[in-house]
Amino acid sequence: MNLSTDHAAWLKGGTAECHKLDVYPERAYRMILLGAPGTGKGTQAQLLCERFGCCHLSTGDVFRAAKCVDPQNVSPVMQRALGYMQRGELVPDEIVIDLVGERLTCLKCDYGFLFDGFPRTVAQAECLDQMFAKVGIVLDAVVSYELPTQEVIDRLSGRRTCRGCGATYHVKNKPSLREGACDACGGELYQRVDDKAETIRVRLQEYEKTAGPLRDHYRCKNLLVCVSAADAPPRVFEQTLEALQPLLT
Ligand code: AMP
């Protein structure tokens, strides 16, 4: 099932409306993915969205989309946020919470959602709980992907992203057929600013500070499942489905 919308409401916010298909999933699945950068969360998010028909909502994608806009049309708050992102630091809670709060229609959407990269702190998780209560929806599950730190560093520093279509490659594990060019669209492959070695270290430190308490927050609500991200993506996906089964029935 691939019912994904064009994500306009999420990426642009404000009054932007998604182009939706006439087909809806049998029910709205609502989930959150946790995991350090480089654990393959984005790939799993895509597979899960295809399976459950929900929208992939990544706060990182909102910031990256804003980075491509003419700076004159970017709000001062968003410009501040982009500064944090470029240094590999977390954007302050109040900015991210406002950004999600402006997109409540995405939480209520009949397609359901899969949050990727949000919440990242307990403060964000608590505000998200309040937003769910406000719009009257219930979260189904939270998946946490686990991987040793050195493996994360190896994966991220070799990652290359297509400027054209966003496809990702790895210099060793998944090289493109022609060096520097995307197999799918021929676009230029580049290394994301936040995938450079120094920035990765900062991002991992930031992640470790908040990951434990965040997992505890959802464990207490009986919503958390932990899945090893060590295997190839199809196997990790199978393990994810197995782990989710008791929570989605
Ligand atoms: P991601 O694509 O999720 O790795 O996010 C890329 C960058 O965007 C992060 O390194 C942060 O600077 C920023 N960011 C994305 N989501 C959040 C969040 N929930 N809280 C704080 N910063 C975030």
Side-chain angles (χ1 to χ4, degrees):
M1 177 174 25
N2 191 355
L3 305 174
S4 192
T5 73
D6 61 0
H7 293 70
W10 178 251
L11 293 178
K12 296 184 193 150
T15 53
E17 277 187 36
C18 292
H19 172 76
K20 290 181 185 168
L21 306 173
D22 289 335
V23 195
Y24 285 87
E26 64 207 13
R27 59 161 276 204
Y29 289 95
R30 299 180 172 115
M31 295 179 266
I32 293 175
L33 297 193
L34 306 179
T39 47
K41 248 183 320 125
T43 306
Q44 294 305 318
Q46 223 174 328
L47 293 169
L48 287 163
C49 287
E50 277 166 22
R51 172 61 65 101
F52 294 109
C54 43
C55 275
H56 180 190
L57 304 184
S58 150
T59 34
D61 280 351
V62 178
F63 294 129
R64 280 185 285 279
K67 223 170 133 252
C68 301
V69 172
D70 178 351
Q72 284 185 331
N73 295 326
V74 173
S75 71
V77 174
M78 185 54 94
Q79 285 178 11
R80 251 184 77 212
L82 296 182
Y84 287 97
M85 183 180 125
Q86 255 143 8
R87 292 189 296 276
E89 295 166 19
L90 284 185
V91 174
D93 284 339
E94 63 276 14
I95 298 182
V96 189
I97 289 164
D98 280 355
L99 179 145
V100 177
E102 285 162 5
R103 290 164 170 76
L104 287 185
T105 47
C106 294
L107 301 192
K108 287 189 282 185
C109 177
D110 292 335
Y111 284 73
F113 59 76
L114 190 77
F115 267 122
D116 165 12
F118 180 84
R120 277 224 191 23
T121 63
V122 172
Q124 291 180 13
E126 284 169 348
C127 285
L128 187 59
D129 292 343
Q130 287 164 17
M131 290 182 213
F132 289 152
K134 188 167 160 190
V135 297
I137 58 165
V138 176
L139 190 61
D140 291 302
V142 178
V143 183
S144 174
Y145 289 105
E146 315 286 334
L147 195 66
T149 306
Q150 189 52 49
E151 174 76 7
V152 170
I153 292 175
D154 291 347
R155 282 192 187 184
L156 280 183
S157 54
R159 181 160 78 175
R160 298 293 179 270
T161 305
C162 173
R163 274 194 208 285
C165 67
T168 52
Y169 297 84
H170 189 279
V171 288
K172 274 199 233 128
N173 307 338
K174 191 188 161 195
S176 56
L177 296 173
R178 198 155 55 86
E179 199 183 325
C182 175
D183 295 346
C185 75
E188 184 199 353
L189 300 186
Y190 76 109
Q191 186 173 35
R192 271 170 46 177
V193 176
D194 51 356
D195 279 348
K196 304 225 158 132
E198 264 108 87
T199 318
I200 293 170
R201 242 165 260 127
V202 179
R203 286 167 76 195
L204 285 179
Q205 280 161 8
E206 296 272 348
Y207 178 76
E208 289 308 327
K209 267 192 247 164
T210 57
L214 199 50
R215 277 192 295 260
D216 291 344
H217 179 84
Y218 289 114
R219 194 176 283 117
C220 289
K221 293 176 181 286
N222 293 323
L223 288 172
L224 185 77
V225 294
C226 295
V227 175
S228 163
D231 289 321
R235 177 72 194 120
V236 176
F237 184 53
E238 275 173 25
Q239 289 169 334
T240 306
L241 293 180
E242 277 165 29
L244 281 174
Q245 209 182 18
L247 289 171
L248 298 187
T249 48

